[in-house]
Amino acid sequence: MKVAGRSTRTIWLHADGWSVEIIDQTQLPHRYTTARLTTLDEAAHAIRAMLVRGAPLIGATAAYGLCLALRKDASDETLAAAAKTLLATRPTAVNLRWALERMQTALLPLEPAQRPAAAYVLAAEICDEDVRLNEAIGTHGLELIRAIAAKKPPRARVNILTHCNAGWLATVDWGTALAPVYKAYDAGIPVHVWVDETRPRNQGASLTAWELGSHGVRHTVICDNAGGHLMQRGQVDLVIVGTDRTTAAGDVANKIGTYLKALAAKDCGVPFYVALPSPTIDWTIEDGVRDIPIEERDAREVSHIRGADTSGRITEVQLIPNGSSAANPAFDVTPARLVTGLITERGLCPATREGLRSLYPI
Ligand code: MRU
C-alpha cells in the first residue's frame, strides 16, 4: 500500500542486499520510522517487542531472521538453534511456526555453503506469496461487501467493524481483514470502518486508523466497549477480523476482545467474518479454546498507556493505582459456531472442518 504516495511493504531487503528493513510499528501513528535488522537477535527482538506484529508479518520476519543467522554460520546446529529462538518469540500466531518449518525443510538437505543464498530466495518467496494470498482474500471479500452495498440505497455507506490491526501493517502488504475494505474503496463503494481501539496496545487506534487514513478510507475510532451498542442500533453491516491461528474445525484465535464482538454480532444478527491466508490454519488442532496457546504479555501494557504529549513527544503514563495487579492475556478464541464464514485466498467457506476441507482438500 502507499505511504505518502509511495508504494511500501512492511518488510524489505536493505540496499546492501542482506540486511532487512522494517517499519517500526511501535512509533506509529506519531512517527513513521524504519529499523534495520542485521542479526538473528535483532530479528527476534523486533518480533518480541512488536516492532513488527500481525501473524503473517511475524512469519515473514522470522524467515529473514533465519537468513541473518545463516549468514554468520550455516551449520545444522545454528539452523536449529535460530529456529528455536525465533519460535519462542510469540506463541499464538501459527504463521511463525509455518514459516520456520518451511525454511528448515528446504534448507536442511542443502550443503551449508548453499544455505544462506537459498534462505534469502525462500524468504523473499514467502513475502511475495503473502502479498498474493492477501490480495486474493481482498478480491473474495469484496464480493461480500458489494452484496451488502447492493441491498442499501444508492451511495449509502457500508459500515464495517474491525478489531485490532489486520491491515497491511500486519502482513507484508494488503492485509487480511482490511484487504476487502481496500478493494471495496478502490471499486468506489462507500465504505466506512468502525475501528476498535484494541486495548491494551491499541493496534486499532494507532495502526488501523493510521493505515486507513493514509489510504483515504473513512473510519471512526471507537472504544472497545462501543461495538455491541452500535450493532444493536443497526450501525454495523458487517464485522471482519483477522486471525492469528484458525483450527482445522474453524475456531479462531485473534486479539483479545474478538470473542466479545462475535457474541454481540450473533445476538444482533450481524454477519461476523474472519479473513485468513492458509498459512494461518493449524491443521494439527481442532479445539481452539483448549489447544491454542494464549500469549500472556507484560502487565505494564495494561497498567500504563503510551501516546504523544502536546509537544509530540512519545510518552507513557500510569493508569492504575500503585499496588493494583494487572493481567494481560493477549488473545482469545472465538468458537466456530459464532463465525458466519471464513474469507480465504481460495474463496469463502463456512467455519467448519468440512468447509475448510472443501477449499483445502488433503
Ligand atoms: O499482537 P498482534 O498485534 O501481533 O496481534 C495481531 C492480531 O491479532 C491480528 O488481528 C492478527 O494477527 C491477524 S493479522 C493479519
Side-chain angles (χ1 to χ4, degrees):
M1 307 303 283
K2 289 205 163 80
V3 177
R6 268 187 56 188
S7 286
T8 311
R9 287 185 173 187
T10 52
I11 187 165
W12 62 95
L13 269 193
H14 186 266
D16 60 19
W18 66 269
S19 64
V20 180
E21 282 206 70
I22 54 167
I23 299 170
D24 179 354
Q25 300 191 20
T26 61
Q27 302 299 304
L28 288 172
H30 309 294
R31 257 173 240 142
Y32 177 81
T33 52
T34 61
R36 187 165 161 245
L37 310 177
T38 61
T39 62
L40 165 71
D41 287 344
E42 287 173 3
H45 170 76
I47 299 172
R48 209 179 295 112
M50 293 177 65
L51 280 74
V52 290
R53 25 70 49 206
L57 181 56
I58 290 170
T61 308
Y64 274 119
L66 279 191
C67 298
L68 294 172
L70 293 175
R71 272 190 85 238
K72 296 251 167 70
D73 173 3
S75 64
D76 288 11
E77 294 72 27
T78 295
L79 181 55
K84 195 170 168 208
T85 299
L86 290 161
L87 188 62
T89 51
R90 298 206 59 198
T92 302
V94 79
N95 307 55
L96 176 60
R97 185 181 81 197
W98 170 86
L100 291 171
E101 283 177 358
R102 180 162 165 184
M103 295 284 286
Q104 284 175 290
T105 306
L107 298 174
L108 253 183
L110 303 181
E111 290 297 324
Q114 299 174 308
R115 286 177 185 162
Y120 275 98
V121 170
L122 190 51
E125 266 174 41
I126 286 174
C127 289
D128 290 344
E129 187 180 290
D130 183 61
V131 178
R132 281 197 305 276
L133 300 187
N134 297 330
E135 185 171 7
I137 288 170
T139 304
H140 296 299
L142 165 63
E143 293 315 313
L144 206 56
I145 298 174
R146 213 192 277 287
I148 291 171
K151 289 191 192 136
K152 296 188 134 217
R155 304 308 302 159
R157 69 185 200 181
V158 177
N159 290 301
I160 299 165
L161 184 141
T162 194
H163 191 69
C164 194
N165 172 261
W168 71 271
L169 288 170
T171 64
V172 178
D173 207 350
W174 279 103
T176 57
L178 293 190
V181 171
Y182 290 126
K183 288 276 181 185
Y185 174 84
D186 292 348
I189 299 172
V191 276
H192 166 262
V193 183
W194 296 112
V195 178
D196 282 352
E197 59 177 344
T198 319
R199 276 284 287 153
R201 284 193 66 115
N202 294 314
Q203 289 95 329
S206 56
L207 304 177
T208 301
W210 181 80
E211 62 162 273
L212 288 173
S214 303
H215 198 77
V217 180
R218 282 195 300 171
H219 62 280
T220 306
V221 178
I222 51 174
C223 77
D224 290 325
N225 301 325
H229 164 74
L230 294 171
M231 290 185 219
Q232 282 178 327
R233 296 282 167 108
Q235 293 183 65
V236 180
D237 295 300
L238 173 69
V239 179
I240 312 181
V241 297
T243 169
D244 295 84
R245 189 185 301 224
T246 294
T247 71
D251 290 348
V252 168
N254 193 48
K255 182 55 55 193
I256 192 78
T258 303
Y259 171 50
L260 294 177
K261 293 300 135 66
L263 285 171
K266 185 83 171 178
D267 189 49
C268 298
V270 173
F272 181 95
Y273 279 86
V274 180
L276 66 144
S278 50
T280 306
I281 305 168
D282 185 345
W283 296 106
T284 68
I285 56 174
E286 300 252 332
D287 183 338
V289 175
R290 192 187 60 198
D291 292 334
I292 297 180
I294 299 296
E295 178 178 12
E296 185 73 35
R297 291 188 62 85
D298 192 340
R300 194 176 172 87
E301 293 179 351
V302 175
S303 61
H304 291 66
I305 198 160
R306 261 163 67 92
D309 65 17
T310 46
S311 67
R313 194 173 59 98
I314 295 177
T315 186
E316 191 179 77
V317 293
Q318 182 174 326
L319 294 171
I320 70 173
N322 289 332
S324 289
S325 60
N328 190 8
F331 298 91
D332 60 26
V333 174
T334 300
R337 66 175 183 277
L338 299 177
V339 178
T340 310
L342 304 173
I343 312 171
T344 78
E345 75 271 10
R346 294 193 183 176
L348 272 62
C349 72
T352 59
R353 193 177 302 101
E354 299 69 32
L356 279 167
R357 278 299 175 205
S358 70
L359 295 180
Y360 301 96
I362 298 173

